[in-house]
């Protein structure tokens, strides 16, 4: 038997984005303290922060279709502007990776309940 699809929980999605944003900031600070060898980790965390910030608006997270549409728009962008990153190409690759992950989560409407720091 198939389970009925879960209802979209905008509050849960918003909370997930907030927690991932806080975790990304923490990861950036930790990578910054480690220095040169952690530049990729810094760029990856900065990319996750950028994605979470771009998707945090209530009109975006309030509806599953609206969030999917916004993610698709962001994936279609040519470049992503951010300051303080080490490698633009690597940063953009990480942004697109995070957006693809979120697109899958949004389409399936699952994974947003995982609010622990490490995923």
């Amino acid at each position: 038997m198939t389970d009925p699809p879960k209802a979209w929980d905008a509050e849960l999605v918003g909370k997930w984005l907030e927690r991932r944003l806080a975790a990304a900031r923490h990861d950036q600070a930790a990578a910054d303290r480690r220095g040169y060898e952690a530049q990729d980790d810094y760029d990856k965390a900065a990319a996750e922060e950028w994605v979470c910030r771009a998707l945090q608006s209530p009109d975006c997270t309030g509806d599953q279709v609206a969030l999917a549409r916004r993610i698709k728009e962001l994936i279609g962008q040519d470049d992503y502007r951010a300051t303080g990153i080490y490698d633009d190409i690597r940063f953009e690759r990480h942004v697109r990776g995070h957006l693809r992950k979120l697109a899958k989560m949004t389409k399936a409407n699952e994974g947003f309940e995982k609010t622990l720091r490490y995923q």
Side-chain angles (χ1 to χ4, degrees):
M1 290 193 169
T2 60
D3 293 330
K6 293 188 303 187
W8 183 255
D9 188 352
E11 185 177 322
L12 181 65
V13 173
K15 185 164 76 169
W16 186 88
L17 286 169
E18 285 176 24
R19 290 201 177 174
R20 292 310 309 155
L21 180 67
R25 286 185 191 143
H26 184 323
D27 292 345
Q28 284 180 51
D32 201 29
R33 284 190 299 271
R34 288 194 330 248
Y36 180 78
E37 73 276 354
Q39 287 181 352
D40 184 50
D41 293 338
Y42 184 90
D43 287 347
K44 188 174 187 177
E48 186 171 14
E49 180 185 5
W50 190 94
V51 168
C52 290
R53 262 190 213 290
L55 296 174
Q56 265 194 325
S57 66
D59 61 331
C60 183
T61 59
D63 180 31
Q64 186 175 9
V65 175
L67 183 60
R69 184 177 27 238
R70 178 68 177 139
I71 291 170
K72 191 173 184 177
E73 288 171 4
L74 290 173
I75 289 173
Q77 281 186 7
D78 289 337
D79 62 339
Y80 305 96
R81 299 281 179 205
T83 58
I85 56 174
Y86 292 99
D87 186 344
D88 291 336
I89 295 170
R90 182 172 52 203
F91 173 77
E92 289 179 11
R93 184 177 62 238
H94 289 311
V95 167
R96 286 193 175 91
H98 285 297
L99 287 170
R100 284 191 299 273
K101 173 187 167 188
L102 270 168
K104 289 177 186 176
M105 289 172 60
T106 302
K107 184 177 181 182
N109 191 15
E110 59 185 32
F112 293 108
E113 65 279 355
K114 298 177 184 174
T115 56
L116 296 177
R117 187 179 171 319
Y118 294 104
Q119 294 192 8

